[in-house]
């Protein structure tokens, strides 16, 4: 019967001539309609999976991003019912916040007043507090593999769900690995065909599952992924309206690998292509159900089908009940946020520090909006009023991809929402008395030297991987490993390593500089004008302008890139800052800008810098190319940078269990050792604690202690008459900060399913694909526990982002109305939208701006 169904569906596709208006028969029409409905359900399920970037290009992602078209509580219900995933903070965690006074009765009462559903249902504070003592309010729907796994001895072995996840995960690890294993699999036929072939030779999985005859059933598998999808859906007998939900639940059992496949699809979409891997992964998981059916007798299969159909027939009602049950969890989520917002209002409500007059500003420093920049900006302004800091997206508006000298390692240097449009490559440029000299001979010799060193390193490393050479390699290396062992036992205090220069001889390193390539003068001038306008630096420029990117420093850390930047494909801001500084210091570009009415004074110089967020030191690049006056100003700035860095280090010390009263040099040395300690699981806290995003002039927050919890983007509405800059900020940086905020939120609320677990147990998969916790299970996504928890308490509070904008109401409303993505985030409760108002603050709620009364806080 099953073969007949499969053949009928296949025949229906092949019998319809291309371009034909109608199939030949009613039976063919029915089969084609069925096939279309099944394909649409599969596609809908795949579209619900958010992408996860590889380790070397790590980007913080909201794992629910593909579901933000629905309100948060509806998504929470779906995740709980379909995948057993926690979206809101656990009730036990909220109980702790309530008992500790972190959530006050006033916070809870205000949350009940702000939620229309709670008002409509008459939800009381007593009901909310009583619910904290109850267990999980939502039960998960079963899948076919669950109802078939009814052996009385199933508790003595791996559950079939666990075993299948492990097998699929190991298969994906082998298939997608292009960097770790020397022997690569055949991928020409696709993921499904590779899995099918692998399973035919895997005799251990059947024993793990208690099914010694499993191998005999493999031959019954369809050869095509599409046939497997159709067979299982047809056999399940579920109502068509729940197909997509069931398929989404199936993908959530391998959510890590599904997220990796979604990333491949995302990248393909940026390039105008499609990618089949996520659909093939879905087919694999569905095909496992077929295998298990072959191992069960008819009576057991019938009973399993009856149980499954009974459960899923009521799926819409189950989802609705779950959404209603989670209302109380949404109340507690809001109450937790109101507790933070109370503090935020109190800090921002005080009169802003005016700063110094514009003509007295000697240095401007443009930092990334990253929350780790906020304490350093505050410290610099406190140490020396003559410095003005600004906040801007850390890729500095450059849509670039970077290829280091003499390599093929092209990588994007911009948010994952965007595709690179400009290439950056390294040029060997030496400082000459009359300017900059582009030395072609040096370029060639540097390239050859690096290629030779990299080739030698690759041969040396490969010698340790071949079985016949493994033991002799250890003997040959001998004492060569003692140096590495010593570094592990006593970490050094060296500066951050510049991996982009790996393999390049020392004599070339200082003069190897990233430069934008392939742009004519008009394109450079246009790019420079756009960036300066967006940064608010199209007027009143200081003599010295610092472009301060940021990067982290850690050793033996698979997730190191996630600490560099939460948005720009896991890269530091060095390449972008240096490329932009070179562009803005170019005399020809400046002359072209004057023709557009944008005058950069002759005495203004741009300097590329990097903020090391582990040690809070700032280093500068290409100082040898600067004019003498700029170098002198930079030298005079060093005591200010040192004092400000020390102030921030003391502010951070208690969270790292360091003595904030230690001498200056001793505290800095401790942080440098942490940065180089291969056993250190918490070199820094990254963006933990992020909770707010201010889009406003610096005067709104200057001198205000925001605790390293706020993204800060400078914006002056008076210089944005058409609202174009505001539109850009609300559709790009705001979305990026939302992604960061929700990655931390999700990893805290469900560290088992949406976090990557214990960092100590991580094993890197495929060189850069991701990590396993231990030697198997699903690919882990999200943040490790050590990035969120200090061993005694959570260092991150799962709060939705509070976005506070200083702009006219009409301008904000126009962006919300124009962009569906922004509307969904605001209307669906994925973030809080506030704006500064003459009377204080107003908040956006269901299309209405309502006053935020300071007395309520």
């Amino acid at each position: 019967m099953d073969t007949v169904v499969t053949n009928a569906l296949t025949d229906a596709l092949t019998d319809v001539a291309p371009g034909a208006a109608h199939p030949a028969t009613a039976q063919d029409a029915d089969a084609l309609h069925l096939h279309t409905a099944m394909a649409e359900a599969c596609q809908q399920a795949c579209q619900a999976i958010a992408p996860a970037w590889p380790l070397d290009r790590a980007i913080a992602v909201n794992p629910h991003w593909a579901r933000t078209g629905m309100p948060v509580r509806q998504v929470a219900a779906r995740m709980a019912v379909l995948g057993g995933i926690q979206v809101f903070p656990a009730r036990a965690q909220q109980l702790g916040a309530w008992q500790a006074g972190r959530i006050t009765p006033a916070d809870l009462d205000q949350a009940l007043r702000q939620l229309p559903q709670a008002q409509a249902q008459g939800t009381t504070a007593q009901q909310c507090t009583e619910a904290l003592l109850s267990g999980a309010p939502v039960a998960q729907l079963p899948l076919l593999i669950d109802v078939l796994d009814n052996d009385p001895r199933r508790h003595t072995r791996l559950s079939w769900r666990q075993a299948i996840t492990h097998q699929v995960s190991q298969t994906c690890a082998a298939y997608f690995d292009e960097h770790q294993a020397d022997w690569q699999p055949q991928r020409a036929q696709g993921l499904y065909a590779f899995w099918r072939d692998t399973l035919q030779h895997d005799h251990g999985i059947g024993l793990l599952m208690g099914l010694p005859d499993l191998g005999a059933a493999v031959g019954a598998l369809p050869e095509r992924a599409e046939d497997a999808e159709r067979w299982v859906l047809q056999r399940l007998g579920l109502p068509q309206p729940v197909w997509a939900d069931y398929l989404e639940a199936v993908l959530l059992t391998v959510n890590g690998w599904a997220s990796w496949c979604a990333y491949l699809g995302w990248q393909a979409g940026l390039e105008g292509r499609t990618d089949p891997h996520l659909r093939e992964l879905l087919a694999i998981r569905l095909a496992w159900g077929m295998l298990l059916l072959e191992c069960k007798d008819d009576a057991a299969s019938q009973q399993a089908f009856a149980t499954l159909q009974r459960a899923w027939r009521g799926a819409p009602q189950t989802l609705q009940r779950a959404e209603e049950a989670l209302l109380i969890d949404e109340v507690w989520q809001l109450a937790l946020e109101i507790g933070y917002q109370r503090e935020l209002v109190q800090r921002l409500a005080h009169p802003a520090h005016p700063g110094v007059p514009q003509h007295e500003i000697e240095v401007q420093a443009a930092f990334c909006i990253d929350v780790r920049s906020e304490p350093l900006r505050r410290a610099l302004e406190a140490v020396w009023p003559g410095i003005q800091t600004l906040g801007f997206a850390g890729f500095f508006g450059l849509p670039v991809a970077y290829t280091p000298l003499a390599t093929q390692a092209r990588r994007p240097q911009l948010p994952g929402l965007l595709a690179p449009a400009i290439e950056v490559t390294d040029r060997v440029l030496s400082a000459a008395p009359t300017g900059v000299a582009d030395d072609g001979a040096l370029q060639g010799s540097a390239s050859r030297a690096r290629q030779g060193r990299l080739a030698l390193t690759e041969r040396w490393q490969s010698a340790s991987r071949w079985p016949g050479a493994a033991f002799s390699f250890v003997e040959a290396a001998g004492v060569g490993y003692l140096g590495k062992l010593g570094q592990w036992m006593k970490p050094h205090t060296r500066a951050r390593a510049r991996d982009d220069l790996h393999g390049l001889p020392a004599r070339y390193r200082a003069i190897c500089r990233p430069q934008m390539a392939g742009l004519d003068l008009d394109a450079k001038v246009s790019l420079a004008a756009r960036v300066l306008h967006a940064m608010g630096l199209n007027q009143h420029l200081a003599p010295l302008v610092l472009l301060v990117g940021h990067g982290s420093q850690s050793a033996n850390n698979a997730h190191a890139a996630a600490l560099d930047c939460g948005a720009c494909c896991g890269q530091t801001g060095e390449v972008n800052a240096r490329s932009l500084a070179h562009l803005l210091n170019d005399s020809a570009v400046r002359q072209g800008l004057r023709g557009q009415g944008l005058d950069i004074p002759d005495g203004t110089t741009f300097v590329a810098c990097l903020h090391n967020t582990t040690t809070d030191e700032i280093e500068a690049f290409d100082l040898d190319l600067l004019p003498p006056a700029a170098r002198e100003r930079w030298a005079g700035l060093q005591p200010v940078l040192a004092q400000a860095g020390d102030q921030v280090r003391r502010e951070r010390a208690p969270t790292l269990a360091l003595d904030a009263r230690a001498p200056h040099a001793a505290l800095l040395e401790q942080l440098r050792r942490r940065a180089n300690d291969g056993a250190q699981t918490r070199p820094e806290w990254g963006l933990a604690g992020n909770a707010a995003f201010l889009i406003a002039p610096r005067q709104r927050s200057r001198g205000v202690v925001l605790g390293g919890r706020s993204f800060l983007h400078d914006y002056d509405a008076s210089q944005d008459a058409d609202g174009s800059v505001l539109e850009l900020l609300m559709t790009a940086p705001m979305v990026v900060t939302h992604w960061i905020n929700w990655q931390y939120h999700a990893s805290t609320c469900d560290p088992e399913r949406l976090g990557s677990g214990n960092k100590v147990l991580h094993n890197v998969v495929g060189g850069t694909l991701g990590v396993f916790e231990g030697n198997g299970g699903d690919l882990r996504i999200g943040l490790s526990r050590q990035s969120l928890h200090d061993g005694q308490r959570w260092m991150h509070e799962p709060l939705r982002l509070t976005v506070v904008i200083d702009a006219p109401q009409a301008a904000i409303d126009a962006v919300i109305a124009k962009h569906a993505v922004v509307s969904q985030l605001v209307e669906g409760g994925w973030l809080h939208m506030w704006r500064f108002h003459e009377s204080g603050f107003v908040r956006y709620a269901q299309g209405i701006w309502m006053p935020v009364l300071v007395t309520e806080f």
Side-chain angles (χ1 to χ4, degrees):
M1 179 62 183
D2 301 323
T3 304
V4 172
V5 171
T6 300
N7 290 342
L9 290 168
T10 305
D11 292 344
L13 293 178
T14 56
D15 288 346
V16 180
H22 300 285
T25 67
Q27 182 180 2
D28 290 341
D30 290 342
L32 183 58
H33 175 75
L34 184 63
H35 168 263
T36 301
M38 290 178 175
E40 289 175 352
C42 291
Q43 189 62 24
Q44 183 179 335
C46 291
Q47 289 173 347
I49 305 298
W53 268 250
L55 294 175
D56 61 336
R57 299 183 179 186
I59 291 177
V61 181
N62 175 4
H64 311 299
W65 174 247
R67 306 179 182 97
T68 52
M70 296 178 281
V72 171
R73 181 154 52 90
Q74 184 179 350
V75 172
R78 291 183 61 81
M79 292 300 92
V81 170
L82 302 182
I85 294 173
Q86 184 95 18
V87 172
F88 291 125
R91 291 186 174 184
Q93 188 175 350
Q94 297 286 47
L95 177 61
W98 174 252
Q99 292 175 336
R102 168 60 181 80
I103 301 176
T104 67
D107 298 334
L108 181 57
D109 289 340
Q110 188 171 338
L112 287 168
R113 290 196 303 271
Q114 284 190 18
L115 279 176
Q117 296 87 345
Q119 288 283 297
Q121 294 187 19
T123 307
T124 66
Q126 183 177 352
Q127 289 174 323
C128 292
T129 54
E130 290 175 351
L132 291 182
L133 300 175
S134 63
V138 179
Q140 184 177 354
L141 286 172
L143 298 177
L144 177 61
I145 59 175
D146 301 317
V147 296
L148 286 173
D149 193 8
N150 60 357
D151 189 329
R153 295 175 297 174
R154 62 185 179 276
H155 301 299
T156 65
R157 55 166 170 78
L158 280 178
S159 72
W160 285 359
R161 179 186 280 255
Q162 291 173 313
I164 291 170
T165 296
H166 182 83
Q167 192 277 332
V168 172
S169 186
Q170 295 292 319
T171 302
C172 287
Y175 178 84
F176 288 114
D177 171 25
E178 294 183 358
H179 302 287
Q180 196 162 338
D182 287 314
W183 296 341
Q184 295 291 312
Q186 292 292 327
R187 304 183 179 92
Q189 300 303 314
L191 177 61
Y192 176 83
F194 175 75
W195 166 78
R196 186 174 179 272
D197 179 68
T198 299
L199 201 58
Q200 288 177 325
H201 300 91
D202 184 355
H203 303 297
I205 187 67
L207 296 176
L208 287 173
M209 299 177 69
L211 298 172
D213 298 326
L214 181 65
V218 177
L221 289 175
E223 294 185 0
R224 299 195 312 158
E226 296 88 344
D227 293 337
E229 291 174 346
R230 294 195 292 262
W231 189 92
V232 176
L233 273 177
Q234 179 75 10
R235 183 71 184 273
L236 288 175
L238 299 177
Q240 184 174 331
V242 305
W243 283 356
D245 292 339
Y246 183 87
L247 295 170
E248 186 177 343
V250 167
L251 280 175
L252 288 175
T253 65
V254 284
N255 186 54
W257 284 109
S259 300
W260 168 254
C261 292
Y263 162 75
L264 297 178
W266 180 285
Q267 295 301 113
L270 291 178
E271 300 169 6
R273 302 182 291 105
T274 59
D275 186 89
H277 288 105
L278 187 52
R279 279 288 295 273
E280 292 195 70
L281 179 64
L282 175 59
I284 289 170
R285 273 294 288 105
L286 287 172
W288 258 110
M290 179 188 297
L291 287 177
L292 299 182
L293 282 173
E294 294 294 326
C295 298
K296 286 286 187 177
D297 59 39
D298 291 340
S301 297
Q302 291 300 321
Q303 182 179 358
F305 278 135
T307 302
L308 187 73
Q309 291 166 358
R310 185 166 54 251
W312 281 88
R313 199 176 297 121
Q317 294 75 25
T318 300
L319 288 166
Q320 181 61 39
R321 288 194 299 270
E323 192 173 342
E324 294 168 358
L326 289 170
L327 175 60
I328 286 177
D329 297 81
E330 186 176 20
V331 171
W332 283 109
Q333 171 77 82
L334 181 56
L336 187 69
E337 291 155 354
I338 287 173
Y340 166 75
Q341 291 169 345
R342 179 179 62 250
E343 178 185 344
L344 183 66
V345 164
Q346 291 170 348
R347 293 178 183 275
L348 292 177
H350 294 297
H353 189 289
V356 300
Q358 189 70 43
H359 68 273
E360 296 183 19
I361 294 174
E362 298 184 44
V363 176
Q364 291 167 319
F367 283 82
C368 179
I369 63 175
D370 189 289
V371 298
R372 292 168 291 183
S373 299
E374 183 269 324
L376 186 55
R377 291 180 60 185
R378 174 168 30 93
L380 284 168
E381 292 165 344
V383 170
W384 184 38
I387 189 169
Q388 176 191 30
T389 72
L390 305 96
F392 190 69
F395 74 114
F396 296 107
L398 300 183
V400 302
Y402 168 58
T403 303
L405 178 71
T407 74
Q408 301 298 317
R410 180 180 184 269
R411 68 172 191 245
Q413 296 269 155
L414 75 174
L417 295 166
L418 308 173
I422 300 172
E423 298 299 322
V424 170
T425 58
D426 284 331
R427 298 294 302 169
V428 175
L429 304 174
S430 57
T434 57
V436 180
D438 189 343
D439 196 319
L442 277 177
Q443 180 87 8
S445 61
S447 298
R448 289 189 295 272
R450 186 179 207 184
Q451 288 171 341
R453 286 192 173 194
L454 291 177
L456 181 61
T457 300
E458 174 59 26
R459 288 195 296 271
W460 176 253
Q461 291 176 343
S462 66
S464 67
R465 298 196 297 263
W466 289 94
F471 294 105
S472 60
F473 174 83
V474 173
E475 292 182 1
V479 295
Y481 270 90
L482 289 179
K484 289 187 176 181
L485 182 61
Q487 291 176 13
W488 278 78
M489 297 182 69
K490 186 177 181 180
H492 54 73
T493 59
R494 295 192 194 121
R496 182 186 63 90
R498 295 173 62 189
D499 294 337
D500 291 338
L501 300 179
H502 175 68
L504 188 66
R507 63 183 179 277
Y508 299 114
R509 293 191 171 205
I511 57 176
C512 183
R513 317 177 201 266
Q515 306 283 297
M516 283 180 277
L519 297 182
D520 59 24
L521 181 58
D522 289 342
K524 290 180 180 179
V525 171
S526 177
L527 176 62
R530 288 198 305 271
V531 171
L532 289 173
H533 177 63
M535 295 178 70
L537 289 175
N538 50 346
Q539 57 183 343
H540 306 307
L541 285 166
L544 193 66
V545 181
L546 311 183
L547 303 174
V548 190
H550 65 94
S552 184
Q553 182 180 355
S554 59
N556 189 34
N557 185 1
H559 288 93
L563 293 174
D564 278 333
C565 182
C568 298
C569 291
Q571 311 306 321
T572 74
E574 176 185 340
V575 167
N576 298 63
R578 295 177 73 183
S579 300
L580 182 59
H582 183 80
L583 177 73
L584 297 177
N585 287 330
D586 188 321
S587 58
V589 171
R590 291 190 176 195
Q591 186 63 35
L593 289 172
R594 290 190 184 98
Q596 297 188 6
L598 201 163
D599 185 17
I600 298 178
D602 292 337
T604 292
T605 303
F606 293 84
V607 180
C609 302
L610 194 77
H611 169 205
N612 184 329
T613 55
T614 306
T615 64
D616 281 304
E617 297 173 279
I618 292 181
E619 63 176 311
F621 305 97
D622 305 319
L623 293 175
D624 58 320
L625 301 183
L626 304 183
R631 287 201 295 272
E632 184 177 343
R633 287 185 181 277
W634 171 256
L637 190 60
Q638 297 315 295
V640 175
L641 298 178
Q643 185 176 343
D646 182 71
Q647 179 178 318
V648 177
R649 287 189 283 274
R650 295 184 187 283
E651 187 177 315
R652 294 173 51 219
T655 68
L656 297 169
L658 299 177
D659 183 5
R661 297 168 297 179
H664 305 318
L667 181 57
L668 177 57
E669 181 176 332
Q670 288 182 70
L671 287 167
R672 286 176 173 172
R673 289 195 185 282
R674 289 176 67 92
N676 292 294
D677 187 351
Q680 180 55 252
T681 58
R682 300 178 180 93
E684 62 157 296
W685 285 112
L687 294 97
N690 71 85
F693 181 22
L694 270 61
I695 302 176
R698 179 55 172 161
Q699 286 76 8
R700 290 289 193 181
S701 59
R702 187 181 176 104
V704 178
V705 178
L706 295 172
R709 305 187 68 179
S710 296
F711 301 95
L712 300 177
H713 201 301
D714 278 63
Y715 172 69
D716 186 352
S718 67
Q719 302 298 315
D720 184 32
D722 62 356
S724 60
V725 175
L726 178 64
E727 181 179 8
L728 177 64
L729 297 181
M730 291 179 66
T731 54
M734 192 179 82
V735 174
V736 169
T737 55
H738 157 79
W739 274 22
I740 295 170
N741 173 258
W742 266 92
Q743 184 189 58
Y744 276 81
H745 186 288
S747 297
T748 304
C749 290
D750 196 335
E752 297 302 318
R753 298 297 308 277
L754 300 178
S756 59
N758 187 347
K759 183 185 289 189
V760 177
L761 303 179
H762 283 175
N763 282 302
V764 174
V765 181
T768 61
L769 300 183
V771 297
F772 285 154
E773 187 181 19
N775 69 340
D778 194 13
L779 190 72
R780 301 304 296 265
I781 61 174
L783 300 161
S784 70
R785 185 176 180 86
Q786 284 87 348
S787 291
L788 305 162
H789 197 279
D790 70 356
Q792 296 181 338
R793 65 187 181 95
W794 291 102
M795 296 299 291
H796 179 75
E797 284 189 316
L799 308 177
R800 290 170 293 185
L801 199 66
T802 298
V803 180
V804 189
I805 304 178
D806 189 3
Q809 175 180 321
I812 299 174
D813 286 342
V815 178
I816 295 174
K818 181 178 179 180
H819 295 277
V821 169
V822 177
S823 176
Q824 290 168 359
L825 294 180
V826 175
E827 301 284 0
W830 293 95
L831 52 77
H832 299 280
M833 177 66 69
W834 288 17
R835 73 179 186 88
F836 289 93
H837 188 263
E838 294 82 359
S839 61
F841 301 91
V842 291
R843 62 181 179 85
Y844 186 94
Q846 289 80 48
I848 301 173
W849 290 94
M850 305 178 66
V852 176
L853 302 178
V854 177
T855 56
E856 293 182 349
F857 290 92

